[in-house]
């Protein structure tokens, strides 16, 4: 295998995958979706990607890292590949992603305050509970937060709870 990327020499999928930091399965997936143009085959049947495919894979990976979905990228790259300029759409999608992140941050801040309050109450409750006896910490949380039947996670922080709180205010 070559250690440097040639500016004009095609490369096998294993080399492209190594250089891009992805698996060959990922390359096949991108190719199947049209994110990467179909690679011609060598006489022995191996995919031969053009050198610019490395730039494309890095672009895909970077866009995924900032929140673009595979579906969005498929549409964006299809437009680009047809000679279009999807820049306005990219900007609009990025603005939507920022709004989603900001909403998630607000929800996480609410959850942080609630969790701090809950922990302080639990510490007080434990101080007043005889050693070896149950304090019922989880029961007190459920009783004081009857609308909290969904799991908290970094992906859906307070999704249902914050909506209920907003409606009741």
């Amino acid at each position: 295998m070559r250690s440097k990327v040639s500016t004009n020499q095609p490369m096998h999928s294993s080399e492209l995958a190594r250089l891009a930091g992805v698996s060959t399965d990922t390359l096949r997936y991108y190719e199947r979706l049209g994110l990467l143009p179909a690679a011609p085959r060598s006489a022995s049947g191996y995919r031969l990607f053009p050198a610019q495919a490395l730039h494309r894979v890095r672009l895909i990976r970077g866009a995924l890292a900032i929140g673009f979905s595979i579906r969005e990228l498929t549409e964006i790259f299809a437009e680009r590949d047809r000679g279009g300029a999807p820049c306005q759409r990219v900007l609009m999608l990025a603005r939507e992603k920022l709004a989603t992140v900001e909403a998630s941050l607000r929800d996480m801040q609410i959850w942080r305050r609630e969790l701090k309050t809950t922990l302080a109450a639990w510490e007080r409750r434990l101080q007043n509970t005889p050693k070896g006896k149950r304090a019922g910490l989880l029961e007190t949380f459920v009783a004081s937060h009857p609308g909290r039947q969904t799991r908290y996670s970094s992906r859906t922080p307070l999704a249902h709870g914050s909506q209920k709180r907003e409606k009741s205010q």
Side-chain angles (χ1 to χ4, degrees), residues 100 102-116 118 141 145 147-167 169:
T100 300
E102 287 174 343
S104 293
L105 284 171
R106 284 189 301 273
D107 287 344
M108 290 300 290
Q109 289 169 338
I110 292 166
W111 170 230
R112 180 176 181 252
R113 283 191 300 271
E114 286 185 22
L115 189 53
K116 280 183 162 189
T118 298
F141 180 82
H145 297 82
R148 300 271 191 232
Q149 299 302 314
T150 49
R151 182 176 179 258
Y152 292 112
S153 77
S154 60
R155 296 192 120 174
T156 54
L158 296 177
H160 298 289
S162 63
Q163 291 169 351
K164 289 181 181 185
R165 184 175 32 269
E166 289 168 4
K167 288 177 185 174
Q169 291 180 348

Side-chain angles (χ1 to χ4, degrees), residues 78-119:
E79 185 176 340
R80 279 177 123 201
D81 293 343
R82 289 188 306 269
C87 301
Q88 290 299 319
R89 178 145 191 258
V90 169
L91 180 63
M92 178 201 62
L93 288 168
R95 284 181 176 145
E96 289 172 5
K97 287 167 193 345
L98 177 60
T100 300
V101 167
E102 287 174 343
S104 293
L105 284 171
R106 284 189 301 273
D107 287 344
M108 290 300 290
Q109 289 169 338
I110 292 166
W111 170 230
R112 180 176 181 252
R113 283 191 300 271
E114 286 185 22
L115 189 53
K116 280 183 162 189
T117 301
T118 298
L119 288 171

Side-chain angles (χ1 to χ4, degrees), residues 59-79:
L59 190 60
I60 293 165
R61 302 303 291 175
L64 290 170
I66 62 170
F68 284 85
S69 71
I70 290 286
R71 182 187 56 75
E72 291 166 339
L73 291 176
T74 300
E75 294 168 4
I76 290 165
F77 285 124
E79 185 176 340

